Amino acid sequence: MSPKLDEFVEGSTSIPKKITQENNTKTNILFHELNRVSNKERVGNKVQVESYQLKSYTDYFILSTVYDAKFNGAGIKLYDTANQRVLYINDPYGHVPYCLSREPIEKLEQYKFPKGTIKRFESINKKDLLASSEVNLTKIYTPTPSEVPKVRDVLGDTWESKIKYHQNWLYDTQLVPGRKYWWDEENYKFIEAKSSTSGMNIPDTALNYLKQYEGLIDVFIDDFTQEIPDMPVVACDIETEYEEGQIPQPSDPKFRIICICLVDNRGKEYALVLNRDEIDRGEKTEIIPSELIIERFTAEEDLIKRAFELLVKYTVVTSFNGDNFDFPYLHERARHLKIRETNPIIWNKRSGDCNFKSALHLDLYRFYHNIAIKTYAFGNKYREENLNAIAEALLGIGKLKISTGISELPEWELINYCLRDAKITLDLLLFDEKTPLNLIFILSRVSRTPIDDLVRTSVSTWVKSLFYFEHRRRGLLIPNPEDLLIKGTQASSEAIIKGKKYKGARVIDPVPGVHFNVAVLDFASLYPSIIGTFNLSYETILCNHEKCKENHVPQTKYWVCQENRGIMSDIIGFIKDVRVRWIKPESKRKSSNQIFNRILERSLKVLINASYGVLGSDRFPLYCLPVADSTTAYGRDAIEKTIQKAQILGIKVLYGDTDSVFLENPSKQEIEEIINWSTAELEVSLEMEKIYRYVVLSERKKNYFGVYPDSSVDVKGLMGKKRNTPMFLQDGFADVLKILSEVHSEEDFDIAKNKVKELVKNIYQKLENGKYTGEDLAITMQLTQPLHAYKVNAQHVKAAKQLENSLQKQYKKTHDGNSSNKSFIKAGQLIKYIKTQTDKHVIPLELYTEDTKIDIKSYRSMIDSIFDQLFGALDIDTTEVATGQINLMDFFG
């Protein structure tokens, strides 16, 4: 008999223990198919779910792992390609939680552990890289993961005791998330599946080079070449009622859900709408698609139940901020209306994650908010991490503007608005031949991180997972952070930047002005290349071999091992060389796989370029100060020698920063000579990154703009491109760049400078005459912590507090004078404020009126600061401007 859904722990998809015990045979793994609802039996309001057997030599992709408290073991989500559904199974391997101790069993048996803490002891051997020897350890097994901290509390020193259980299960089984497997019924385990590959082939030259990396090409080959499954995907967006001044909260789900839109990758679009007598239908516009399925409900309960019925049909559910709002609110609203049995949402309030019993949930807000994704995968194309900004930057389409508040929208306008958000969300996962989804899959494979974990976590978690997985594969002890302190806690170099522990990159002062025909040479993945080339790893730095002390790190007192290959240098060097020597050339070659190759190249770029940032952070568990210090030392040495080489060739160096040098008017032969010299002498590859028709350098480092031969503009660090710059200045700055992008020769500059002067003068006049709106003047800043946590009353904090007070007053008016016990303004929220002549000097945009007196002097100062960076390079005298005595409008006038 199939188990009933109410036999599961609430919020869990575990197999009931009594059933798993009755069916625990090698030929019968019981799991529950929770995706299709067509075969379900209804008994009252309860659902009975069919059970199946895993089939031998059937394609299953591992998507995710969790700790299943009901089963007391790992839970695994698989994608069954044949039936296009998610299967949830419990651990067939019999894995047990544990930690490691250096104490022998006989001594551990004398400790007084809390009752029920210890299951058994086992003596094992592992290699300790820090000690360069095998060590005998005791493996302490516990009944559940929650007992591991208790063991740690008693012993003090334990190892591998802070790894999350579901990740530990992956490291021990060596199963890779995102990869395809078959079930071997005879041996009761998953085995690697034969792939209908993506068509990737390794050129012999690249293959021969990659064989140096401890056989890693055989370990990782499927990550790069295996196909990515075509799965049913749905995007979901919800809209709720709300009262003026109140933001709907999952913790207090008192407002009705009035619309839920779902859009899938199979051409289906749904709008589930709540009938409200007080709301007009309005006019149906042409942008409503004819294929849209509109379902109207008189009862909110029926609308929510229908949404649940649709959601469980899909393998992947995607949202934008669904972890923080859509699905927690939907979950709690269902509970409020006593809808329990059909609710497929699992909300972990402690972690803030929302998952599904039958699908993988990918919250794209958390994915696109990731700084590594933003910087390396999408080239900083979007500046703000909200749905509208990201969609406009990557898709060329944004959210719909609405005529009034959500609650008052006519029905057709509400459908339009909600449907657009759902469509944008789906496109942000699947645009450009499914680039983001494929990016997620490949990063999950290479980093050995469960797919839903990858979307929700930072790159440091990915790199940590990769290193831990590889330590376990090689039978190595994973060191504790305090173990690595033996390598030193004081840097050999002296930090220049306050708060840093060691000296960073070398930055050469720019030559201010306008420079034509500028070539920029860039070290390919400089820091990862250094780590791989010079064998930098926590166990190789300051090794115990006397001969290795001659292998000196430049500008430091460190040396590096020459006898043994380091695990960090091995892994990072391998992935870097896969990208540089194999994938990147393939991504430039026209073929049927070119799009896939570009996605793969981006994926590896994200992981590699972020890897040093992780290793250089003292918050990373494998952080080793001498490794981080040595990496930047090699980098400084490389950039300084490259500049010397260019000067020997008679080339003027205009600027140098970390991993790139700006050369004025070099010949093709000179560029080739420098590139060849770098490979031979520095053992680090230089490549031509870009050529500017001309570049404008200011006196400030990391602040410049360049114009490419096609007239497109590359802006770095200039304030006019930053998010917190008011929109009227962003627009004015963009107009200035447009004028300057049309310059082709030095003779064009006189005309361009006159146009720029006239444009800036006009900006001042509009400011003085009050022609700018509140939106134009608003400065945007993000709250990084709750309001009560701020000790410094910065301007955006002042504005946020004013807004909070206003919302609280409105709440009191509608709640009989009672205050809300929740803050309306949350950490992470963007605050828009305007500088004023009031006693607080700022006001939130929401409270701005036409009668508000703006602080014109402050805004004029902002204009001075922004355009001053450019005018110095354009040979416009701004000395008087910098004193604050005369502003630019006066100067031009």
Side-chain angles (χ1 to χ4, degrees):
M1 178 177 176
S2 299
K4 296 179 181 178
L5 200 61
D6 63 349
E7 290 180 282
F8 291 79
V9 172
E10 183 175 328
S12 170
T13 54
S14 306
I15 301 171
K17 192 173 291 185
K18 64 180 182 182
I19 295 179
T20 57
Q21 289 170 349
E22 293 169 1
N23 296 278
N24 190 19
T25 66
K26 286 192 175 182
T27 58
N28 183 25
I29 292 184
L30 181 66
F31 62 87
H32 305 285
E33 190 266 324
L34 294 165
N35 198 22
R36 297 187 305 177
V37 295
S38 57
N39 294 327
K40 66 188 177 184
E41 288 182 41
R42 291 196 179 274
V43 182
N45 288 325
K46 297 179 180 179
V47 181
Q48 291 194 353
V49 186
E50 299 172 291
S51 62
Y52 294 78
Q53 287 182 324
L54 285 177
K55 297 177 181 178
S56 294
Y57 304 105
T58 296
D59 291 345
Y60 299 113
F61 283 86
I62 292 181
L63 303 178
S64 176
T65 56
V66 296
Y67 172 65
D68 191 323
K70 176 68 176 180
F71 175 71
N72 189 23
I76 308 102
K77 280 183 183 177
L78 306 171
Y79 177 59
D80 177 356
T81 59
N83 297 293
Q84 292 195 325
R85 63 191 181 190
V86 168
L87 311 177
Y88 183 98
I89 68 167
N90 291 123
D91 173 24
Y93 289 81
H95 189 272
V96 180
Y98 65 87
C99 64
L100 303 176
S101 172
R102 293 182 184 269
E103 302 281 10
I105 292 176
E106 56 270 19
K107 188 170 182 179
L108 289 173
E109 289 175 337
Q110 298 174 14
Y111 280 89
K112 292 183 178 180
F113 295 98
K115 186 178 179 180
T117 299
I118 305 300
K119 194 164 187 176
R120 69 178 187 273
F121 299 121
E122 179 186 349
S123 182
I124 65 168
N125 288 319
K126 277 182 176 282
K127 184 174 181 180
D128 183 350
L129 290 179
L130 285 170
S132 299
S133 64
E134 290 279 336
V135 290
N136 184 258
L137 301 164
T138 301
K139 201 170 189 179
I140 306 171
Y141 292 97
T142 63
T144 72
S146 61
E147 276 78 44
V148 171
K150 298 176 185 177
V151 173
R152 196 168 63 231
D153 289 342
V154 172
L155 295 180
D157 289 333
T158 56
W159 281 260
E160 306 188 11
S161 58
K162 294 183 180 180
I163 302 172
K164 291 183 178 180
Y165 178 73
H166 71 284
Q167 295 170 336
N168 210 32
W169 183 87
L170 284 172
Y171 305 154
D172 280 338
T173 61
Q174 290 287 291
L175 296 174
V176 178
R179 273 214 209 159
K180 184 171 66 178
Y181 291 92
W182 289 338
W183 176 248
D184 182 349
E185 187 173 296
E186 182 177 350
N187 295 299
Y188 203 57
K189 65 178 182 178
F190 288 103
I191 59 175
E192 294 181 3
K194 290 184 178 178
S195 303
S196 53
T197 69
S198 58
M200 292 288 292
N201 293 306
I202 310 178
D204 289 340
T205 53
L207 180 61
N208 292 333
Y209 187 88
L210 294 171
K211 284 180 178 179
Q212 66 177 296
Y213 289 103
E214 297 287 334
L216 288 179
I217 191 63
D218 296 326
V219 174
F220 284 87
I221 187 67
D222 282 349
D223 301 331
F224 309 131
T225 62
Q226 197 173 79
E227 78 275 19
I228 295 170
D230 180 23
M231 303 176 291
V233 180
V234 68
C236 178
D237 184 70
I238 78 169
E239 302 297 341
T240 72
E241 291 180 319
Y242 61 89
E243 295 175 7
E244 186 177 355
Q246 294 190 55
I247 302 171
Q249 301 287 344
S251 58
D252 183 19
K254 60 187 177 183
F255 299 113
R256 292 186 297 177
I257 294 174
I258 54 178
C259 186
I260 301 178
C261 285
L262 300 101
V263 180
D264 72 19
N265 62 338
R266 302 294 195 257
K268 290 287 184 70
E269 298 179 4
Y270 297 89
L272 314 182
V273 190
L274 184 64
N275 283 327
R276 293 172 291 157
D277 294 336
E278 70 276 16
I279 297 297
D280 293 333
R281 287 275 174 91
E283 295 184 7
K284 182 178 180 181
T285 63
E286 294 180 358
I287 63 174
I288 294 285
S290 58
E291 63 272 17
L292 176 66
I293 300 170
I294 300 176
E295 300 180 25
R296 294 182 171 86
F297 301 85
T298 56
E300 185 190 2
E301 295 93 323
D302 294 332
L303 182 154
I304 292 174
K305 287 178 182 178
R306 177 59 176 153
F308 289 160
E309 287 180 355
L310 292 172
L311 285 169
V312 297
K313 293 181 178 180
Y314 295 92
T315 299
V316 177
V317 177
T318 189
S319 67
F320 196 89
N321 208 27
D323 273 338
N324 293 325
F325 177 70
D326 296 73
F327 295 130
Y329 195 91
L330 189 55
H331 179 275
E332 292 300 282
R333 189 65 186 165
R335 285 171 58 89
H336 177 77
L337 298 171
K338 302 190 183 330
I339 305 169
R340 294 183 182 273
E341 289 80 4
T342 59
N343 186 351
I345 301 171
I346 306 166
W347 184 27
N348 187 327
K349 295 182 182 180
R350 186 173 64 179
S351 67
D353 300 341
C354 262
N355 293 301
F356 285 80
K357 298 169 182 174
S358 59
L360 198 64
H361 174 218
L362 304 179
D363 183 347
L364 296 186
Y365 169 75
R366 299 177 78 165
F367 177 68
Y368 281 104
H369 194 269
N370 187 311
I371 189 66
I373 295 297
K374 178 180 179 180
T375 304
Y376 300 121
F378 296 108
N380 284 315
K381 288 183 179 179
Y382 55 92
R383 285 177 287 167
E384 298 180 20
E385 289 84 28
N386 58 64
L387 182 61
N388 188 65
I390 296 170
E392 285 186 341
L394 301 182
L395 305 176
I397 185 172
K399 291 167 64 74
L400 286 177
K401 294 183 178 180
I402 52 179
S403 58
T404 185
I406 296 292
S407 297
E408 292 79 34
L409 284 176
E411 186 182 274
W412 284 115
E413 192 174 351
L414 173 65
I415 292 172
N416 260 338
Y417 181 79
C418 187
L419 186 65
R420 170 68 71 87
D421 281 3
K423 283 184 172 181
I424 287 174
T425 301
L426 184 69
D427 287 345
L428 284 176
L429 183 65
L430 302 178
F431 78 91
D432 193 13
E433 301 287 339
K434 301 192 292 186
T435 286
L437 180 59
N438 293 347
L439 196 69
I440 290 167
F441 249 84
I442 296 170
L443 282 171
S444 176
R445 289 174 180 173
V446 178
S447 69
R448 278 56 177 139
T449 306
I451 292 174
D452 46 5
D453 280 3
L454 183 125
V455 170
R456 293 183 171 112
T457 57
S458 67
V459 70
S460 64
T461 301
W462 311 348
V463 176
K464 178 182 71 175
S465 185
L466 171 59
F467 285 147
Y468 281 10
F469 194 100
E470 194 61 16
H471 271 77
R472 198 67 59 79
R473 185 183 74 85
R474 301 184 187 193
L476 305 174
L477 176 66
I478 299 172
N480 288 329
E482 51 270 26
D483 297 338
L484 301 177
L485 298 180
I486 194 175
K487 295 291 185 174
T489 58
Q490 193 71 33
S492 180
S493 65
E494 184 177 348
I496 297 175
I497 300 174
K498 184 178 180 180
K500 293 289 185 180
K501 294 180 180 295
Y502 53 91
K503 191 174 181 179
R506 178 80 162 93
V507 181
I508 310 301
D509 290 336
V511 178
V514 179
H515 309 278
F516 281 84
N517 190 25
V518 175
V520 180
L521 298 186
D522 178 75
F523 288 102
S525 301
L526 177 62
Y527 288 154
S529 295
I530 286 171
I531 291 169
T533 298
F534 297 107
N535 197 28
L536 297 179
S537 189
Y538 70 81
E539 79 277 24
T540 59
I541 196 78
L542 300 174
C543 67
N544 296 324
H545 309 126
E546 196 62 34
K547 289 184 179 179
C548 296
K549 291 182 179 181
E550 297 175 5
N551 187 26
H552 189 68
V553 178
Q555 305 181 17
T556 75
K557 298 177 182 178
Y558 308 127
W559 65 88
V560 184
C561 185
Q562 292 179 297
E563 293 191 14
N564 300 317
R565 181 73 173 167
I567 188 169
M568 290 175 167
S569 56
D570 203 39
I571 296 170
I572 291 176
F574 168 73
I575 297 176
K576 186 269 297 182
D577 279 330
V578 165
R579 175 179 173 256
V580 172
R581 294 178 178 272
W582 173 23
I583 306 301
K584 194 169 184 178
E586 289 295 306
S587 69
K588 296 178 179 180
R589 187 173 63 84
K590 288 187 177 181
S591 69
S592 58
N593 296 311
Q594 188 172 22
I595 292 177
F596 180 84
N597 295 340
R598 286 175 180 170
I599 296 166
L600 182 53
E601 195 270 335
R602 279 190 206 173
S603 302
L604 300 183
K605 183 177 181 179
V606 169
L607 198 61
I608 287 303
N609 284 356
S611 62
Y612 166 73
V614 168
L615 295 180
S617 169
D618 58 6
R619 290 174 293 180
F620 186 62
L622 293 177
Y623 168 75
C624 180
L625 176 59
V627 171
D629 197 5
S630 296
T631 304
T632 56
Y634 273 117
R636 293 191 300 273
D637 185 64
I639 199 82
E640 289 166 5
K641 287 180 177 177
T642 302
I643 290 170
Q644 292 171 8
K645 177 65 176 177
Q647 291 171 340
I648 290 171
L649 294 175
I651 305 170
K652 185 175 182 180
V653 178
L654 301 171
Y655 181 49
D657 185 1
T658 309
D659 60 356
S660 59
V661 289
F662 289 55
L663 306 179
E664 186 174 49
N665 201 28
S667 68
K668 183 178 179 181
Q669 291 76 18
E670 289 170 334
I671 291 173
E672 289 179 353
E673 182 174 347
I674 294 174
I675 289 174
N676 293 334
W677 164 85
S678 174
T679 303
E681 297 294 323
L682 302 181
E683 300 182 72
V684 182
S685 297
L686 260 178
E687 57 186 28
M688 172 72 76
E689 183 187 12
K690 50 196 172 187
I691 293 178
Y692 292 121
R693 182 198 304 157
Y694 74 94
V695 66
V696 177
L697 299 173
S698 74
E699 291 181 350
R700 303 177 190 179
K701 299 172 182 178
K702 302 180 185 292
N703 285 266
Y704 63 88
F705 83 88
V707 178
Y708 294 117
D710 64 358
S711 295
S712 59
V713 179
D714 180 29
V715 180
K716 299 295 182 186
L718 297 175
M719 289 175 61
K721 295 289 285 185
K722 294 185 177 180
R723 180 173 71 185
N724 59 349
T725 302
M727 190 54 66
F728 84 96
L729 278 177
Q730 290 190 39
D731 291 342
F733 190 81
D735 291 339
V736 167
L737 294 184
K738 178 68 169 60
I739 292 171
L740 295 175
S741 72
E742 296 169 355
V743 171
H744 285 78
S745 65
E746 295 184 24
E747 289 74 21
D748 291 341
F749 261 104
D750 287 337
I751 297 173
K753 283 196 289 186
N754 287 332
K755 288 182 179 179
V756 168
K757 289 178 183 180
E758 191 63 32
L759 190 152
V760 174
K761 182 177 180 179
N762 187 49
I763 290 173
Y764 271 106
Q765 289 175 343
K766 290 181 69 174
L767 176 67
E768 298 280 355
N769 296 329
K771 298 296 184 181
Y772 290 120
T773 67
E775 285 284 356
D776 293 331
L777 297 166
I779 299 166
T780 303
M781 297 285 287
Q782 187 175 38
L783 290 176
T784 58
Q785 54 188 334
L787 272 177
H788 65 80
Y790 279 94
K791 295 180 180 179
V792 178
N793 215 12
Q795 289 189 324
H796 69 297
V797 177
K798 288 182 182 179
K801 288 180 177 178
Q802 291 179 56
L803 184 57
E804 174 70 22
N805 290 336
S806 175
L807 294 174
Q808 288 287 0
K809 287 178 182 178
Q810 293 178 38
Y811 183 91
K812 283 184 178 181
K813 286 182 181 180
T814 57
H815 290 79
D816 301 322
N818 295 319
S819 299
S820 171
N821 58 359
K822 300 285 185 181
S823 176
F824 295 104
I825 307 300
K826 306 291 185 183
Q829 193 166 329
L830 292 176
I831 302 297
K832 293 187 176 183
Y833 66 92
I834 295 163
K835 295 192 174 188
T836 67
Q837 298 180 36
T838 62
D839 57 344
K840 290 185 172 61
H841 303 294
V842 295
I843 192 171
L845 176 61
E846 290 83 352
L847 303 182
Y848 174 82
T849 68
E850 292 183 359
D851 296 328
T852 302
K853 292 185 178 181
I854 67 169
D855 187 349
I856 292 179
K857 184 177 179 180
S858 290
Y859 281 104
R860 288 194 333 212
S861 178
M862 292 177 67
I863 299 172
D864 291 347
S865 297
I866 286 171
F867 288 108
D868 181 51
Q869 297 178 48
L870 283 179
F871 290 162
L874 295 175
D875 197 26
I876 298 175
D877 186 3
T878 56
T879 303
E880 291 179 312
V881 176
T883 66
Q885 299 300 312
I886 300 177
N887 63 48
L888 284 177
M889 186 183 73
D890 297 330
F891 180 72
F892 288 139

